[in-house]
Structure formats: structure tokens, C-alpha cells
Amino acid sequence: MSARDPGPGGLRFLHQRERFFGALVRPLVWLFIFAAGFRSILGVSIIPPYETYILYEEYIVPGLAAMILLFGGMQSSLSMVYDREMGSMRLLMVSPFPRWYLLLCSSLPVHWCRSPRCICFSLSPGSGTCGPPPLGYLLCFQPCCCQIDARRSGLFLSSGDQTAREFRRCDELRDFPMFFASSALYPLWRIRDSSVALYEICRLNPSPGRLS
Amino acid sequence: MNGADATAAALELDGVGFDYPGRRVLEDVSFSVPAGVFCVLLGANGAGKTTLFSLITRLFLCRSGQIRILGRDVRHEAQRSLSQLGVVFQQPTLDLDLTVRQNLRYYCALQGLPTAICGSRATTPWALWGCSSVPTTRRASSAADSAGAWSCWRAMLHRPACCWRTSHRGLDIHSRQAIVQQVRDSCSQDGGRRALATHLVDEVRLEDQVVVIHRGRVLAQGRAAKILADTGSATVHDAFTALTGGPDG
């Protein structure tokens, strides 16, 4: 099994273009509707790594890109639950290759398929002036630790005896707190002003802050 | 075959036992399927066939006893032993979003075969059905009626020493006969190193090996003709009933 073979995951990405554009809807809604409405209320003072006063839209774009990667990483493990229900997982189990190698080969295309969504979002109108520097686009393809964490936690949950529907419900209970309870939407100093407990939770959350 | 015993049985079980929590499912199961033999495993529902299948294919780990494929222990030499095993599951396990050709290429990749082999070997069954090439229709879901047949052929693509088939699901009369005949012929090819195990009584011939399992134990094993003579039965079905005591046994 080699990197040249795209496998079912890669081929599904090429054939299911509606899923590609569907995954961009949520972050674009946040950007165009929520961020535009909050522009006049929330300005973000100078905080690292920024060197000047920035608009709220510019602050939220990395977090929304992280949303695509985070949600995609966890939802990709739904495909493993589906494979288990359909019996396709057994084909992997009886392969002579070591299982860690099979897991790596199935995970890497998933990460690389998420990255074009992230890049398309960064290039979309509205985020165009807030997009990353050129090196940032290249870094989107790195299977960063948070994507791996997200997929790994999804795989751990999918190992339980669950149907795909049950898994999707658990997935949502996990995805939303991981994204919202973080520095992705608001700077931490602003959260601390309203709640110290929430500030500590957001500070300790490793996901979107680290991704962005 | 590098490192494999040339005289080793294609599939050999030695004292295999398995428990589910609170329930003993297999007890001291031992039988051997020599190379070049068509073996039929017979057992009623709940006899332990599915558990045995899961142990041989390493879906479960065998902690009691040994399972060897061409002399290689499945537990300690998983990679080499599994490469000699072809499996047909009860579900077709074809990816319905891909074409048949893409499914076969994916299987070749999983078995470490060059995908070019898929093109040459996969045309054989299609030729038997009077067509000239592997179907490249957009989705395998449109070929769902032959998914079972393709699953069987796919299991033989990497020329395993032992092919284990569990069901006839998805096979019509003609494709079933073609597949069984093709596998019987392949048993005598490659120096007689091929063996097939199935659990359906319809396909038994007198020269085939039969293993009868009942409630997790092997009741009888040997050539079908010998089992018929020992039980004084005219058909394999009667011999099975005599050994297991019928549906209420």
C-alpha cells in the first residue's frame, strides 16, 4: 500500500464535491454575518502575534479556519464507524500490513483533503484581506498535532459499540465545546473580564488557539 | 515460499479454544486442511463457525491453541500468514462509491500487490461470464447484484494458499457454479498449494474434506466418503444430522 494509491478516502474527496462546499458554509456564515455584526462592537487591541490594532473579522479568520480542520478531523472518524457498519473495516483488519501503517495511510489523505477547504475559505471574499501570509497556505497541509488529536479522539470514541447516528451525536457534543470554549472567537483577556472560570477553561483548551 | 514448510498444511488448527465473557464457545478445536484440498466446515447456527472464522482471520486474537497458515502462526507471524489467506465475508465489503475496478485496485494495494496485476487477473472471471473487461461503471452500487461474485474473485486475486468463504450471498446459480469450479481447479494449480474452506453443504463432493463442528467441538473430520461410511449415511446432510442429533441436538 503506497502513497501513490489515493484509496477510497481520497477518491471520495474527488467525487463528492458537494461535501467540500458544504463544509465551507458554517465558517463563511460566521465570517459574513456574525463577524460583520460584531465589527462595530468588538475591536481587538494589540495582542501577539499582531503588531497593530485589528478588526474583529481579522481576529476570527484563523479561528474559523481552525474550525474547518477541527470539525473535519473529528467527523472523518465517522467514516470509520460507517466502515465498521458496512463491513469495509474487516478488509483492513485482514490485510497483512501492520495496523499502525494502515491507520497512518488512511489518516494522511484525510488531513490533506481538509487543507484545500481551509485554503478556499482563506481565499474567499471577505476573508481575502484577512488571509494568512503565503507561508501560511503551505502550513495548512501539515498534519498538525491538533488535527491528529481531533481524529485520534474521534477514533477512540468510535471504537465503542456505536452506530453512525449515535456517534454523530457524541461528535457534536464534543466538537462545539472544543471550539467555543477557546480563544478562537474572543481574546482571552475579554473572556477573563466576564468569567475567570471560563477564562481558565479557554486558556487550557489546546485546540483552536493552537491551530490558529 | 520463503521460510514456509513445503509440506505444511494450508490451514491447521491445534487445540484452539475461545471464550466470550461467561461462555465457552470453542473447545479444543483441531483440524488440518492439506494443500490442494477443498474443505467444507459444517455446523449449525451457534456451533462456533463465526468465532472460528474471526480467529483464523485474526479479527480476534487466539490465546488458546495455535492457528497456522502454511506452517506460520497467525498470532506471531501475522503479516506472512495473512498474506496467504483470502477471505470472503458475509457482507460484500465493496465500497459502493467506487467502481469495481477501483475496488479491486484498492484490494491489491491492501495486499501489497502491484495494481497492474489487478487488470490481468481480474479479467478472468469476466471472460467466464462472456464479457471482455472489468466493469468501469461509475459506482459499484450499480453492479450490486454481482457484488458477491466480485468479492469471491477479489479474495483470490493475490493467489492465497487458503481461501475462506462464509456465504453465498449475492451469487446467482451460474456465478456460484463458475466460482466453485474455478476454485476447485485452482486447488490443483500452483503445485497443489491452494485450499478452500466453506460451510455450505451443497458443494460437498465425496473426495472433499469435511469437518463437522457442534457446540464448539469437532465431532468428525476426514474425507466425505469416509464420514458417510462411518455414519452409514447416503448424503452429507444425513451424516451431519446423525452426528449432531438433528436440529434439537
Side-chain angles (χ1 to χ4, degrees):
Chain A
M1 192 166 184
S2 71
R4 290 177 302 162
D5 193 337
L11 288 169
R12 279 195 207 113
F13 173 73
L14 293 173
H15 295 147
Q16 294 176 351
R17 297 179 192 88
E18 60 276 4
R19 284 179 59 189
F20 178 87
F21 293 107
L24 295 177
V25 167
R26 194 183 311 178
L28 286 175
V29 165
W30 275 99
L31 184 63
F32 289 131
I33 299 175
F34 289 99
F38 284 140
R39 181 194 294 180
S40 60
I41 302 172
L42 293 172
V44 182
S45 58
I46 301 172
I47 54 172
Y50 303 104
E51 297 171 354
T52 61
Y53 178 86
I54 57 172
L55 292 175
Y56 181 65
E57 287 157 314
E58 188 168 346
Y59 176 82
I60 200 176
V61 163
L64 294 178
M67 174 199 273
I68 296 172
L69 297 174
L70 177 68
F71 282 27
M74 288 184 170
Q75 288 171 358
S76 67
S77 48
L78 179 65
S79 68
M80 300 203 84
V81 180
Y82 175 77
D83 283 345
R84 193 176 65 206
E85 285 187 350
M86 294 297 291
S88 312
M89 170 116 21
R90 299 185 176 199
L91 214 55
L92 286 177
M93 301 279 281
V94 297
S95 166
F97 285 102
R99 285 173 187 173
W100 65 265
Y101 181 71
L102 293 172
L103 199 60
L104 184 68
C105 288
S106 68
S107 296
L108 284 177
V110 169
H111 295 309
W112 290 326
C113 288
R114 299 280 167 255
S115 303
R117 290 182 187 173
C118 199
I119 291 173
C120 280
F121 169 72
S122 301
L123 292 173
S124 63
S127 65
T129 56
C130 314
L135 182 61
Y137 290 105
L138 203 61
L139 289 176
C140 282
F141 283 95
Q142 293 301 311
C144 61
C145 47
C146 277
Q147 281 198 74
I148 295 172
D149 283 346
R151 181 162 164 83
R152 194 171 57 191
S153 68
L155 287 176
F156 174 73
L157 282 172
S158 70
S159 65
D161 195 12
Q162 294 175 336
T163 63
R165 194 187 308 173
E166 289 166 351
F167 180 79
R168 183 174 278 279
R169 284 194 213 118
C170 292
D171 215 28
E172 289 172 356
L173 286 174
R174 190 184 56 242
D175 290 350
F176 284 96
M178 284 203 72
F179 176 73
F180 287 103
S182 71
S183 62
L185 288 183
Y186 309 110
L188 288 180
W189 60 264
R190 199 170 268 282
I191 298 173
R192 187 177 52 198
D193 287 347
S194 58
S195 167
V196 175
L198 185 58
Y199 161 75
E200 289 296 331
I201 292 170
C202 295
R203 190 174 65 86
L204 293 171
N205 186 346
S207 328
R210 212 158 76 183
L211 274 172
S212 43
Chain B
M1 195 71 52
N2 291 338
D5 185 355
T7 60
L11 175 66
E12 196 171 353
L13 275 74
D14 191 9
V16 171
F18 192 79
D19 298 322
Y20 287 120
R23 189 163 65 96
R24 184 81 175 162
V25 176
L26 293 175
E27 181 75 49
D28 194 27
V29 171
S30 302
F31 65 86
S32 173
V33 181
V37 166
F38 194 98
C39 173
V40 182
L41 183 71
L42 299 179
N45 290 336
K49 297 190 303 294
T50 307
T51 308
L52 200 62
F53 170 77
S54 300
L55 288 170
I56 291 170
T57 55
R58 209 172 159 255
L59 296 178
F60 296 160
L61 280 181
C62 175
R63 302 188 193 282
S64 169
Q66 261 201 348
I67 300 174
R68 290 184 289 273
I69 298 175
L70 275 187
R72 294 198 176 104
D73 192 333
V74 168
R75 189 174 175 191
H76 300 295
E77 295 181 84
Q79 190 169 350
R80 291 182 177 179
S81 58
L82 285 180
S83 65
Q84 292 302 316
L85 182 67
V87 183
V88 183
F89 296 98
Q90 287 188 325
Q91 295 136 318
T93 66
L94 288 179
D95 191 321
L96 300 180
D97 290 332
L98 305 180
T99 65
V100 174
R101 184 185 291 275
Q102 285 168 340
N103 272 287
L104 294 180
R105 286 173 58 97
Y106 174 55
Y107 184 79
C108 284
L110 280 178
Q111 296 296 327
L113 295 176
T115 50
I117 286 181
C118 160
S120 57
R121 292 184 188 175
T123 53
T124 305
W126 217 239
L128 285 176
W129 288 320
C131 300
S132 60
S133 62
V134 175
T136 55
T137 50
R138 172 64 180 84
R139 287 169 182 256
S141 53
S142 63
D145 55 339
S146 53
W150 280 110
S151 299
C152 291
W153 290 118
R154 182 181 62 182
M156 304 292 289
L157 255 185
H158 61 292
R159 302 264 199 261
C162 181
C163 178
W164 184 280
R165 184 161 63 88
T166 59
S167 75
H168 277 318
R169 184 183 166 181
L171 297 177
D172 61 15
I173 294 172
H174 300 298
S175 57
R176 183 166 132 184
Q177 286 178 342
I179 286 168
V180 171
Q181 188 55 49
Q182 181 76 9
V183 175
R184 281 186 183 278
D185 293 342
S186 73
C187 280
S188 58
Q189 294 169 5
D190 296 343
R193 297 172 68 80
R194 198 73 53 79
L196 174 89
T198 178
H199 73 288
L200 297 164
V201 68
D202 301 349
E203 299 162 346
V204 181
R205 293 183 188 171
L206 290 176
E207 66 271 17
D208 296 336
Q209 182 169 2
V210 173
V211 178
V212 178
I213 285 188
H214 186 62
R215 293 183 180 173
R217 292 178 180 272
V218 174
L219 293 185
Q221 58 172 307
R223 290 170 69 88
K226 178 176 179 301
I227 289 181
L228 290 180
D230 290 345
T231 57
S233 308
T235 66
V236 174
H237 188 270
D238 292 340
F240 177 75
T241 306
L243 285 166
T244 60
D248 303 321

